[in-house]
Amino acid sequence: MISFHPIIQQWFGEKYGEPTDIQQQSWPKIADRENLLITAPTGSGKTLTAFLWTLNRFITGDLETGKTRVLYISPLKALNNDIRKNLLTPLAELKTQFEDAGEGFADIKVDTRSGDTDPDHRRRMLRHPPEILITTPESINLLLSSQGGRSILYDIDTVILDEIHGVVDSKRGVYLMSAVERLVTLSGEFQRIALSATINPLETVAQFVAGYQLKGDVYQKREISILTSGAKKKYDIRIHYPEVAANRGEDEKVWDYLAEDLLPQIHENNSTLVFVNSRALCEKLTFKLNAAAGRTVAYAHHGSLSREIRTDVETRLKEGQLEAIVATSSLEMGIDIGALDEVILIQSPGSIASSIQRIGRAGHQVGVPSRCTIYPTHPRDFLEAAVLAEAVEARALEPIRTVSNPLDVLGQIIISMTGTESWDLDDLYADLRRSTAFHNLGRREYDLVVNMLAGRYADHHIQELKPRVRVDRTNNKIEARKGALLSLYLSGGVIPDRGYFQLRHENDNARIGELDEEFVWEARVGQVFSLGTQVWQVRKITHNDVIVGPGKSGSSAPPFWRAESLNRSFHYADRINQFLESANRRLDEPDFGDYLIKHHAAEERVAEEIIALLKRQKGHSGCDLPH
């Protein structure tokens, strides 16, 4: 290890042993203040990789306390809470060891800020800023939109961007990185450390994170190094289909067969995470599993359940009180739910990167293989699962495409920037282009957005088009109008509002979750449905809430949510095409089944199903397989 404080080195050795290869690569470069994109398999210690040298600087006095010096940003509020806990534990252990050695220890405060943070806590944070602030892309933008929030961002030394793959190909990535660039105006240049387990191509993401420096009238790309772990994640994947389902083949019964087949695996494991591709299926399979077991063995976990319920489910599994969780992508990223024995995929996810993220939740420790069983549920799903298993083993990730010049996001950023100070129009345009996402923004597009915000189209009688900024063409100045920032606080961000109804308990009005407006439109008072392993009866429906109380258990159906169609990535689809082209040539070869078993993780019954499907296709069409 590099020259960490001797007590820190002793603590690390006792707790973790030898550093992982990515830690050995990263710490010298972090100490040299390089900007980094660090990619390594799950369980490689990426979080400690990013934080430990900074903790060392605080402890040794190299980094001044009393100010917010480290900003950690991730896409998930729940992950942020985990990171805070995972930092407080080593800090407490290190403090004890330093005190036992008779040495002083720096007062390092760690705090989180998100939409769930209560107003009193936010005000206390402004008065006494933490040394390490953990937040989300949305919250850092809101901090930058107020004088109070900006006041704690003048001394940033390091920005850590975790799970960068979760936002880099969306408008949330633009929203995040434009905020990071705005921090430079307040703090000056700082170190950027981006972390990811699954991402491709690395160079595109690295440049997106690095952005540009503006020196005079010249833009220069910031230097950034890419570090990749040499440790290859091992996978133990199999594609399985219950014999009873294969023999009887009744579509309406497939979920009962799957539940019955899953139970022995769940009982055999200490903890199991079952991934599905929709919230409705999450609720349905949880209900089927618990009905088959005759008791509660699994809980549902998805974005339409309240944060309190999701947190309780995560804690129960981590503490060994729960055998299984059935989840959507809500648990795809690195929320701490403890050690998992196995991940089960019900149907194939729509992307290879998503599959690697999900499978990687099992075997999270260094050197431990990730064990996964894939359950296809219909003939084409057998084919997709076989291609998916081979692609995961080959780490054939989809290439990421970043978003450029989203003008809706640009409008929000302009309101935020002009809401705290007046800008010269030319300087504002130049400053915006430091972000990679807006570096190629044309002046015409910029001027059109400014004109729209200034009310050029307000006579269309659309409320959203009323003037938000005031432009002084004589002095070339722009500033936000009164009330513009309030509209940003109330409706800003890039996460769509889907118009869900709030589901609330009749006794205390506690929020249970969210319901789709179409489901509510069809619902009636007295209707019974299951959600989150409990049965509810509708007591009252208001203009935005559904009030419920406990209902009688039975064959109650779960709610449905629209807009949950699965979009398969082009990269994944192309690999399926390549497989079909190869299968077309090899289908009649006697060893094709063995090939599927060896290279595509198929059990013998699954290989037979795939071959039968492809032969039926050729027989029906009378020509080659489509590809």
Side-chain angles (χ1 to χ4, degrees), residues 23 51 60 63 80 97 203 207 239 255 280 391 416 441 448 463 469 507 602 618:
Q23 289 171 341
F51 275 110
T60 58
L63 197 56
N80 289 351
Q97 292 204 13
E203 293 74 14
Q207 181 53 52
I239 306 172
W255 304 111
S416 175
L441 175 69
L448 285 170
Q463 178 69 15
V469 301
N507 291 341
K618 289 191 76 169

Side-chain angles (χ1 to χ4, degrees), residues 46 50 164 170 181 208 219 233 273 321 354 358 398 416 418 450 457 489 517 542 548 559 579 598:
K46 289 190 293 297
I164 191 66
S170 69
E181 288 301 335
F208 194 77
Y219 292 92
K233 186 66 179 178
L273 180 54
Q321 301 173 19
S354 175
R358 295 181 181 192
E398 289 91 350
S416 175
T418 58
V450 168
Y457 310 105
Y489 299 150
E517 61 180 350
T542 72
V548 297
F579 173 82
K598 182 177 180 181

Side-chain angles (χ1 to χ4, degrees), residues 344-361:
I344 292 172
L345 303 183
I346 304 297
Q347 302 178 336
S348 304
S351 81
I352 298 162
S354 175
S355 304
I356 290 177
Q357 280 291 124
R358 295 181 181 192
I359 296 169
R361 298 310 310 272

Side-chain angles (χ1 to χ4, degrees), residues 21 41 228-235 367-368 395:
D21 79 310
T228 306
S229 172
K232 296 300 181 185
K233 186 66 179 178
K234 296 179 180 178
Y235 299 102
V368 177
R395 282 88 173 165

